[in-house]
Amino acid sequence: MAAMDLLPLIVLLAVCWPAHGTWDSCGGTCGLRPMAYYYGTSRVMGGTDAQPGAWPWIVSIQDPWRAGTGHVCGGSLISPQWVLTEAHCFIEARHIGMWRVVIGATQLTQLGPEAQVRHIRRLLVHEHYSNVTQRNDIALLELDQPVQCGYYIQLACVPDASLRVSELTNCYVSGWGSTTARSGGPSDVLQEARVRLINAKLCNSRRWYRAAIHSHNLCAGYPQRGIDTCQRDSGVPLVCQDNSADYFWLVGVTSWGRGCARPRQPGVYTSTQHFYDWILVQMGLRRAGTVTPAPQPVLTTPPVQRPRPIPTQSGRFTPCPFPYQKLVEFIAWAQKLLQYLRGNKV
């Protein structure tokens, strides 16, 4: 990699680098992928191996009594101590406090030094979840200790009602689920695949899901076979890039589907936007039954605001506080450093 090619990444990290010179753990922006800056895009089942840190909010939820790594479901880190996932992952779960939540991993059998492991303090399943109809298939996990963010671990952005999800076009799923329709075992290496959001009316039509899609569901995949989430992918994130910025929104959580990668049978996801208020209440950021005069984001800001979202103690966000003059000075210093690395004296 050429020295000058590092400049955009250095500037990106500098913009929200705190004054004391260390990474502001989980107090920085959400929805960003620091390690994926040079990965480019790839096109889960039908997908490809993900690069380390490519999806820094994804977690593996593991039952220690299961064979192998114990991977049961996926989830998304939405705050230092909360993971968003699916309710149906825990229908027959026992001894939840002994389960592991692995954050920052790519290969489950070789976690690497960047991975962190936590246990579950509380499981909060939606009070109206139905394992028959899969209505309200959403749950939150409170971890026993906060996670430390860094290059391989970041927070996902949960959108409020102001985001026009249907207009987002650059969407991805990732997970450790089966890579073939006949295999029930999880993949050892994180898989990723690009998908398209599918119109809800089409997805609910007679030749597709025949009115089985609820108002709080999203469909994503392709009309033809080939790319889809599969077994053990429950709870993994469906994310879409903002149309005017470089961060991603957590728009869906994998819920169900008929088979894997079948024609006109795409993956069905629980809309995080639909359950925005429920998430706030469960995390203690809003009292139950209160009405907010204007939509407020969870770990994000509306897309019309250009500054990247920054989580705060209250759950609201402010623009990145890095002073403009300091940024100019940093860029000038970085340019001199890069010239030196190229062998030029300054």
Side-chain angles (χ1 to χ4, degrees), residues 160-296:
D160 68 358
S162 67
L163 180 67
R164 296 181 179 180
V165 173
S166 61
E167 296 180 0
L168 304 179
T169 58
N170 189 28
C171 302
Y172 288 83
V173 290
S174 54
W176 290 276
S178 301
T179 55
T180 62
R182 295 181 180 179
S183 173
S187 169
D188 183 33
V189 178
L190 182 66
Q191 299 293 297
E192 63 178 10
R194 189 172 184 176
V195 294
R196 296 175 183 172
L197 297 178
I198 297 175
N199 180 272
K201 290 183 178 179
L202 175 61
C203 196
N204 229 2
S205 63
R206 183 176 60 85
R207 297 184 63 190
W208 290 57
Y209 276 121
R210 296 176 176 268
I213 306 299
H214 307 304
S215 60
H216 57 262
N217 287 143
L218 298 173
C219 289
Y222 296 91
Q224 66 275 22
R225 69 174 70 237
I227 297 179
D228 194 9
T229 49
C230 202
Q231 287 89 2
R232 309 278 181 105
D233 270 332
S234 296
V236 300
L238 167 65
V239 297
C240 297
Q241 187 176 11
D242 187 86
N243 285 333
S244 59
D246 58 357
Y247 53 85
F248 282 74
W249 301 89
L250 174 63
V251 300
V253 184
T254 306
S255 180
W256 63 279
R258 292 175 183 164
C260 301
R262 294 178 179 177
R264 297 184 296 277
Q265 306 284 279
V268 181
Y269 302 81
T270 299
S271 167
T272 58
Q273 185 179 55
H274 182 91
F275 291 97
Y276 170 83
D277 289 332
W278 181 85
I279 294 171
L280 277 180
V281 171
Q282 303 309 309
M283 293 175 63
L285 298 177
R286 179 181 300 172
R287 290 184 300 173
T290 59
V291 178
T292 304
Q296 296 294 332

Side-chain angles (χ1 to χ4, degrees), residues 31-345:
L32 292 178
R33 307 165 61 203
M35 296 302 296
Y37 187 80
Y38 290 101
Y39 290 163
T41 58
S42 66
R43 22 155 229 110
V44 183
M45 183 173 173
T48 57
D49 290 355
Q51 296 284 347
W55 307 105
W57 41 79
I58 193 169
V59 309
S60 170
I61 302 170
Q62 302 177 356
D63 180 351
W65 287 276
R66 292 210 180 192
T69 61
H71 176 78
V72 176
C73 286
S76 300
L77 188 71
I78 62 171
S79 91
Q81 209 161 350
W82 290 93
V83 168
L84 188 63
T85 184
E86 291 297 341
H88 75 253
C89 295
F90 307 95
I91 293 176
E92 299 179 356
R94 297 181 180 180
H95 308 294
I96 289 294
M98 299 295 292
W99 286 32
R100 304 197 317 165
V101 178
V102 180
I103 311 101
T106 302
Q107 186 174 1
L108 296 183
T109 57
Q110 298 182 14
L111 297 184
E114 65 276 0
Q116 298 176 38
V117 178
R118 297 291 185 270
H119 289 89
I120 300 172
R121 173 181 291 176
R122 281 195 298 165
L123 164 64
L124 303 177
V125 173
H126 196 283
E127 58 273 18
H128 299 303
Y129 166 65
S130 169
N131 63 354
V132 176
T133 64
Q134 297 301 321
R135 287 184 179 273
N136 306 301
D137 189 10
I138 195 167
L140 279 165
L141 302 178
E142 184 181 12
L143 305 180
D144 61 341
Q145 295 180 14
V147 170
Q148 300 297 313
C149 288
Y151 298 111
Y152 294 89
I153 298 177
Q154 290 287 303
L155 306 179
C157 295
V158 180
D160 68 358
S162 67
L163 180 67
R164 296 181 179 180
V165 173
S166 61
E167 296 180 0
L168 304 179
T169 58
N170 189 28
C171 302
Y172 288 83
V173 290
S174 54
W176 290 276
S178 301
T179 55
T180 62
R182 295 181 180 179
S183 173
S187 169
D188 183 33
V189 178
L190 182 66
Q191 299 293 297
E192 63 178 10
R194 189 172 184 176
V195 294
R196 296 175 183 172
L197 297 178
I198 297 175
N199 180 272
K201 290 183 178 179
L202 175 61
C203 196
N204 229 2
S205 63
R206 183 176 60 85
R207 297 184 63 190
W208 290 57
Y209 276 121
R210 296 176 176 268
I213 306 299
H214 307 304
S215 60
H216 57 262
N217 287 143
L218 298 173
C219 289
Y222 296 91
Q224 66 275 22
R225 69 174 70 237
I227 297 179
D228 194 9
T229 49
C230 202
Q231 287 89 2
R232 309 278 181 105
D233 270 332
S234 296
V236 300
L238 167 65
V239 297
C240 297
Q241 187 176 11
D242 187 86
N243 285 333
S244 59
D246 58 357
Y247 53 85
F248 282 74
W249 301 89
L250 174 63
V251 300
V253 184
T254 306
S255 180
W256 63 279
R258 292 175 183 164
C260 301
R262 294 178 179 177
R264 297 184 296 277
Q265 306 284 279
V268 181
Y269 302 81
T270 299
S271 167
T272 58
Q273 185 179 55
H274 182 91
F275 291 97
Y276 170 83
D277 289 332
W278 181 85
I279 294 171
L280 277 180
V281 171
Q282 303 309 309
M283 293 175 63
L285 298 177
R286 179 181 300 172
R287 290 184 300 173
T290 59
V291 178
T292 304
Q296 296 294 332
V298 177
L299 301 176
T300 190
T301 51
V304 295
Q305 298 183 10
R306 288 297 175 264
R308 295 187 180 95
I310 298 180
T312 65
Q313 293 292 333
S314 65
R316 299 187 179 185
F317 302 84
T318 56
C320 185
F322 199 92
Y324 176 79
Q325 183 58 38
K326 293 293 183 181
L327 179 59
V328 172
E329 293 174 2
F330 180 89
I331 293 175
W333 174 85
Q335 288 175 332
K336 292 181 179 180
L337 174 62
L338 293 174
Q339 288 175 357
Y340 174 79
L341 293 175
R342 295 179 62 189
N344 297 324
K345 294 183 180 180

